[in-house]
């Protein structure tokens, strides 16, 4: 309603006829003027929980044979709407016989749960050809693309929840299903799950306007598989995270192989004494800060390829034991990686091996020229005071 229409309604609400009751229904209560809201009783309606939907459907089924899995699937598909849940129940009961999960999926035109797990495994492997063949099987089964994308959206939301909180935290999923979600989530990094989920949500929206829903699904699957060719920030972070995971697995695997090496090839052969690893040479003394930093970066480039972005920043020196690396304002994603506790400890360890005493590392964004000039002036003033009174006699507040 316009402002003038609301004002006209307000006059009626102030002196309503005794025989009238006004019921105002809206999905945008924030647009109603406070003068009208103050004269109304407000009731906020929300969605039903899946437990409430299932309880109501069991009453409506009137003793019909319906499995618990079928009730759970109907409640999930209704998305909190009681009318949708009861309508879906009527359609399933109208098919005759017992209502199982397969019957509900047939009515919905949805793929079965095993197909969702198999399709997610294909995306995890990045096999684009197999993904296209799976989509062809999906169409041969008569499944609807919109319903499948909706189910795939829910599936990857469950995987994300299992990755971050464990399988037991997935709402309405317990037992063997929760274990399967948690097991499959281990094959994805968190960044990969979020990225695939974003692609599925976009595809779900695009199918409403596309002339070929199948083409939208195929492009979504290929983009989810063809991740190495992506060049956006999210894909780079995802690839770095997976490289870190692979490197950690390689390191643990190398240790396991060495530990399981047989004691001797022949029973009569004497086992040679294990060679002691060469101790790392001590770092040279009297190194400058720049030399220590360059030596640490050179070492990390060989041992930690995921930290190669150290060379993109500008070394800002060491102040009070803190070694600072500065990046441009548009390179904030480098800070996200380098300021992780695990990566910061790796840099600090490399600095210590290069000759720094109890180093602490910090990556930050470059300050503006005015702020940098003010900091330089403050540093210069402090140096002058230190020459006169001694640094130990100065306390900066």
């Amino acid at each position: 309603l316009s402002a003038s229409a609301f004002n006209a309604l307000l006059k009626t609400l102030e002196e309503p006829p005794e025989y009238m009751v006004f019921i105002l229904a809206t999905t945008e209560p924030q647009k109603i003027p406070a003068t009208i809201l103050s004269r109304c009783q407000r009731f906020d309606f929300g969605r039903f929980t899946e437990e409430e939907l299932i309880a109501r459907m069991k009453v409506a089924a009137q003793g019909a044979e319906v499995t618990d899995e079928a009730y759970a699937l109907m409640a999930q598909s209704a998305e909190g709407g009681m009318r949708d849940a009861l309508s879906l129940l009527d359609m399933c009961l109208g098919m005759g016989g017992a209502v199982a999960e397969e019957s509900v999926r047939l009515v919905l035109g949805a793929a079965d749960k095993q197909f969702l797990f198999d399709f997610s495994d294909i995306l995890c492997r990045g096999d684009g050809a197999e993904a296209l063949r799976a989509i062809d099987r999906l169409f041969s089964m008569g499944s609807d693309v919109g319903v499948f994308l909706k189910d795939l959206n829910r599936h990857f939301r469950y995987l994300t929840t299992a990755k971050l909180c464990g399988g037991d935290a997935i709402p309405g999923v317990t037992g063997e299903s929760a274990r399967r979600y948690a097991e499959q989530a281990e094959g994805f990094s968190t960044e990969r799950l979020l990225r695939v989920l974003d692609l599925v949500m976009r595809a779900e929206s695009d199918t409403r306007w596309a002339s070929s829903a199948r083409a939208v699904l195929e492009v979504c699957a290929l983009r989810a598989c063809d991740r190495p060719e992506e060049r956006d920030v999210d894909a780079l972070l995802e690839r770095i995270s997976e490289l870190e995971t692979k490197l950690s697995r390689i390191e643990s695997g190398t240790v396991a192989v060495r530990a399981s090496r047989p004691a001797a090839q022949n029973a009569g052969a004497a086992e040679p004494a294990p060679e002691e690893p060469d101790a790392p040479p001590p770092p040279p003394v009297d190194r400058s800060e720049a030399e220590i930093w360059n030596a640490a970066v050179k070492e990390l480039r060989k041992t930690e390829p995921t930290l190669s972005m150290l060379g993109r920043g500008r070394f800002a020196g060491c102040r009070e034991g803190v070694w600072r690396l500065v990046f441009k304002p548009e390179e904030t994603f480098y800070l996200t990686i380098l300021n992780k506790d695990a990566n910061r400890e790796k840099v600090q360890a490399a600095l210590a091996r290069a000759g720094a005493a109890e180093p602490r590392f910090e990556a930050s964004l470059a300050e503006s020229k005015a702020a940098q000039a003010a900091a330089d002036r403050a540093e210069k003033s402090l140096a002058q005071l230190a020459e006169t009174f001694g640094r130990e006699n100065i306390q900066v507040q």
Side-chain angles (χ1 to χ4, degrees):
L1 298 177
S2 63
S4 57
F6 269 125
N7 291 332
L9 176 62
L10 177 60
K11 295 178 181 179
T12 306
L13 289 177
E14 286 178 338
E15 298 178 0
E18 296 180 356
Y19 56 85
M20 293 192 68
V21 175
F22 286 91
I23 299 177
L24 308 180
T26 179
T27 58
E28 298 177 325
Q30 71 278 3
K31 292 186 177 182
I32 300 178
T35 52
I36 291 182
L37 283 177
S38 62
R39 290 166 171 81
C40 297
Q41 290 182 341
R42 177 169 172 173
F43 299 92
D44 292 322
F45 294 91
R47 297 179 182 271
F48 288 95
T49 64
E50 292 184 3
E51 290 77 10
E52 292 172 335
L53 292 174
I54 292 174
R56 181 67 183 86
M57 284 190 292
K58 287 183 177 180
V59 175
Q62 297 179 353
E65 187 177 351
V66 183
T67 63
D68 293 338
E69 292 78 9
Y71 277 128
L73 182 57
M74 286 188 285
Q76 291 176 0
S77 301
E79 295 184 344
M82 184 65 73
R83 181 179 59 183
D84 294 341
L86 295 177
S87 299
L88 181 57
L89 176 63
D90 289 339
M91 286 189 288
C92 294
L93 293 176
M95 298 177 63
V99 178
E101 184 178 2
E102 292 75 13
S103 304
V104 180
R105 292 190 181 277
L106 182 62
V107 171
L108 292 173
D112 58 21
K113 186 180 297 184
Q114 183 60 44
F115 185 87
L116 289 171
F117 277 101
D118 294 341
F119 192 76
S120 300
D121 285 335
I122 294 172
L123 297 184
C124 181
R125 297 194 305 268
D127 192 342
E130 184 61 29
L132 293 179
R133 285 191 285 268
I135 293 174
D136 187 65
R137 292 196 302 271
L138 179 73
F139 273 83
S140 65
M141 293 185 297
S143 299
D144 182 79
V145 174
V147 175
F148 174 71
L149 285 171
K150 186 177 179 180
D151 292 340
L152 192 64
N153 185 348
R154 183 190 302 114
H155 185 83
F156 272 93
R157 284 193 286 112
Y158 285 174
L159 290 179
T160 305
T161 303
K163 181 73 174 179
L164 298 177
C165 308
D168 296 337
I170 303 175
V173 178
T174 57
E176 180 65 18
S177 296
R179 187 194 63 80
R180 292 186 65 187
Y181 280 114
E183 183 178 342
Q184 189 174 62
E186 290 299 321
F188 292 87
S189 64
T190 305
E191 291 80 4
R192 180 91 191 279
L193 285 173
L194 294 176
R195 186 167 169 273
V196 175
L197 184 58
D198 181 63
L199 288 173
V200 173
M201 289 190 296
R202 292 183 186 178
E204 189 177 358
S205 175
D206 292 343
T207 52
R208 303 173 185 174
W209 319 109
S211 58
S212 175
R214 176 170 181 169
V216 174
L217 176 58
E218 290 175 345
V219 171
C220 171
L222 291 177
R223 284 178 176 172
C225 292
D226 198 23
R227 49 192 170 82
E229 298 299 325
E230 293 289 339
R231 293 295 182 266
D232 58 354
V233 175
D234 292 336
L236 289 174
L237 290 175
E238 171 193 327
R239 293 169 61 191
I240 291 173
S241 176
E242 293 192 355
L243 283 173
E244 290 177 344
T245 303
K246 290 180 181 179
L247 286 173
S248 63
R249 290 178 179 176
I250 291 173
E251 292 174 357
S252 61
T254 304
V255 174
V257 169
R258 289 178 179 175
S260 61
R261 187 175 295 171
Q265 295 295 333
N266 300 317
E271 174 68 23
E275 298 181 359
E276 293 293 334
D278 296 334
V285 297
D286 298 332
R287 270 184 169 180
S288 64
E289 293 178 357
E291 290 174 339
I292 293 175
W293 174 259
N294 291 334
V297 172
K298 184 177 180 180
E299 176 191 344
L300 290 172
R301 283 177 177 172
K302 297 179 180 178
T303 60
E304 300 290 340
T306 57
L307 300 180
S308 59
M309 72 281 298
L310 287 169
R312 298 291 300 270
R314 176 178 61 84
F315 177 54
C318 174
R319 294 183 183 178
E320 300 181 357
V322 179
W323 297 71
R324 296 180 64 249
L325 187 65
V326 178
F327 290 94
K328 297 178 181 179
E330 62 270 17
E331 297 176 333
T332 54
F333 55 94
Y334 290 145
L335 268 66
T336 305
I337 300 172
L338 293 177
N339 283 331
K340 288 183 177 180
D341 292 339
N343 293 335
R344 185 186 289 114
E345 291 175 359
K346 293 177 183 178
V347 177
Q348 292 172 172
L351 288 170
R353 289 191 293 270
E358 298 182 1
R360 288 179 293 133
F361 172 72
E362 179 181 331
S364 59
L365 295 178
E367 300 176 346
S368 62
K369 293 184 178 180
Q372 185 63 39
D376 293 341
R377 288 196 300 270
E379 188 69 23
K380 184 177 180 181
S381 300
L382 183 61
Q384 293 174 349
L385 287 173
E387 292 178 0
T388 305
F389 301 103
R391 184 64 182 86
E392 67 278 1
N393 298 321
I394 301 173
Q395 182 178 2
V396 180
Q397 296 183 349

